[in-house]
Amino acid sequence: MTKETKNTVSAETIVENLKEFAETLHDESKEAMLYYLSAKNVSKFKIANIMHNISHDLLDILDGKSAKEILGESDEEDSSDFVGSIAINVETGKVEGIDDIKDTKVKEQILAAVSKVVEELGGN
């Protein structure tokens, strides 16, 4: 590119655009997760969940966190990561499998999502 045709974009504009993208990705992936959960499409739910997690990581970066913090690369071993299965009775709204989750924010998010799905499916 020559100097005359080079497009200069301010850092503020780049950050604003990235934040808008991350927020849109967050909202759309959250809706997709709820839709595919209610449609019982596990593979598409997992893809939407991955996109949702990426949106959170992007938002964290825009809030000043380092990649090392986000990816959990530290000398300490963190046992708060959740790996397992969650069972939801859509008729009663009962959730099983979240007892071992130590992060209360994660538990609240899961219960809120489950509540919305149960409500949409006409459960209790």
Side-chain angles (χ1 to χ4, degrees), residues 12-66:
E12 291 84 13
T13 300
I14 293 169
V15 169
E16 286 175 28
N17 290 344
L18 283 171
K19 187 164 187 147
E20 182 181 339
F21 172 77
E23 289 172 349
T24 302
L25 181 64
H26 177 267
D27 294 343
E28 295 294 324
S29 60
K30 186 176 174 181
E31 284 182 32
M33 282 190 331
L34 290 172
Y35 174 78
Y36 290 122
L37 181 63
S38 65
K40 298 179 183 175
N41 189 327
V42 176
S43 62
K44 289 189 179 182
F45 171 82
K46 287 180 181 180
I47 292 168
N49 183 259
I50 289 168
M51 299 306 291
H52 185 253
N53 291 340
I54 290 170
S55 75
H56 277 275
D57 293 343
L58 288 170
L59 291 168
D60 286 346
I61 287 170
L62 290 166
D63 284 339
K65 285 189 178 180
S66 71

